[in-house]
Amino acid sequence: MRTAIRKEAHKHSLLDALRARIAEHLYHAYSDADGLLGNLDRWSQQRITDENLAKVALVMNADDPAEACYRDLVREIDTEAETGIYLARHSTASGHLQRVLEESGVSGQLHREIGSIAPLVFPDETARSRPDLDLVWITIEASHDRAHLDATVSEIIMGFLMDDAESVRDMTNVMRALTYTYHEDAVRKRCNLPVLLSDAEIRDLQTMVTELTERSGDYDDRASEIRRKADTLYKSPLS
């Protein structure tokens, strides 16, 4: 009995340490003067924190926490890549964006084509933007930054579960390589831009990305589940 109690106490101690590490990670993300997340109001920042801590609770209570976290990582990195492809340029200071530029299917040039891409991919934002497509770029940066933040939290959780940060980095690098390449190819085809990959490479890429996304499950359902959990665990300061 005492052994069981000690094990449970140890488990809660580890979880408390994980939550504290995530809270610290989010605090530093909000403190980054160069990021859009730092310009959010305190309520929005708290909501992001609540949802990520709710994700921790869901993952750790899952029958297979590592699998649950893996699915979240796929969802979040895939979402990050949808807009990250426009921010991946050779002048970037972001480490994860620099790494994807090593892939033959990620050009680092899509930002130069945004004038022809935006009306097709971001029609509402384009219609409301000034000539410099200000709202398009705000949308791109906000979507990327939120998804990337969520993904980095999942990386921390996975590192906790696997106790092997290097393996987690290798895993996320592979995910980003696949999803950034996939989304750039999709945009190039949709907007009649030259493709970068051969037909065989595209078929292989589509097969691998499809396997990832099917394994991760429905994106909207998971996001809704996390929001509901956050609503259950945390009270909004405005409620």
Side-chain angles (χ1 to χ4, degrees), residues 57-68:
L58 287 169
V59 167
M60 301 308 291
N61 288 329
D63 292 337
D64 186 343
E67 177 65 16

Side-chain angles (χ1 to χ4, degrees), residues 139-230:
T139 298
I140 287 171
E141 291 174 16
S143 177
H144 165 270
D145 288 2
R146 173 61 197 271
H148 180 65
L149 182 65
D150 291 344
T152 58
V153 170
S154 291
E155 288 179 50
I156 291 172
I157 301 170
M158 186 63 84
F160 171 84
L161 294 170
M162 294 179 62
D163 195 24
D164 187 348
E166 185 174 350
S167 292
V168 174
R169 280 194 298 271
D170 291 343
M171 179 193 305
T172 56
N173 287 342
V174 170
M175 288 184 188
R176 285 193 170 93
L178 291 173
T179 56
Y180 274 74
T181 301
Y182 175 83
H183 284 292
E184 171 146 354
D185 181 69
V187 166
R188 285 182 171 277
K189 289 176 178 175
R190 182 176 178 182
C191 300
N192 294 316
L193 297 172
V195 296
L196 305 178
L197 304 175
S198 68
D199 290 344
E201 288 173 323
I202 291 171
R203 284 194 299 271
D204 289 343
L205 176 67
Q206 290 174 337
T207 297
M208 289 184 285
V209 172
T210 298
E211 290 174 354
L212 280 177
T213 55
E214 287 181 350
R215 179 174 172 180
S216 68
D218 188 278
Y219 287 16
D220 291 337
D221 285 352
R222 181 58 170 174
S224 296
E225 183 181 18
I226 290 171
R227 287 193 293 267
R228 288 195 300 270
K229 187 67 172 180

Side-chain angles (χ1 to χ4, degrees), residues 101-119:
L101 288 173
E102 298 173 3
E103 301 301 318
S104 59
V106 181
S107 67
Q109 300 295 322
L110 282 186
H111 63 285
R112 298 180 182 276
E113 307 290 346
I114 199 67
S116 60
I117 292 171

Side-chain angles (χ1 to χ4, degrees), residues 63-116:
D63 292 337
D64 186 343
E67 177 65 16
C69 189
Y70 183 89
R71 292 174 180 175
D72 284 336
L73 264 174
V74 172
R75 175 177 62 87
E76 291 155 356
I77 290 178
D78 187 42
T79 302
E80 172 198 303
E82 284 189 83
T83 46
I85 54 176
Y86 306 106
L87 302 175
R89 58 187 74 175
H90 295 288
S91 60
T92 184
S94 297
H96 69 287
L97 294 177
Q98 289 177 340
R99 281 190 293 275
V100 297
L101 288 173
E102 298 173 3
E103 301 301 318
S104 59
V106 181
S107 67
Q109 300 295 322
L110 282 186
H111 63 285
R112 298 180 182 276
E113 307 290 346
I114 199 67
S116 60

Side-chain angles (χ1 to χ4, degrees), residues 27 40 47 70 83 99 104-105 125 128 134 157:
Y27 171 80
L40 293 175
R47 182 61 183 180
Y70 183 89
T83 46
R99 281 190 293 275
S104 59
E125 293 82 358
R128 299 196 304 272
D134 56 329
I157 301 170

Side-chain angles (χ1 to χ4, degrees), residues 42-44 46-47 50 234-239:
R42 291 183 64 184
W43 185 92
S44 298
Q46 186 61 52
R47 182 61 183 180
D50 291 347
Y234 308 104
K235 289 288 187 181
S236 165
L238 300 182
S239 62

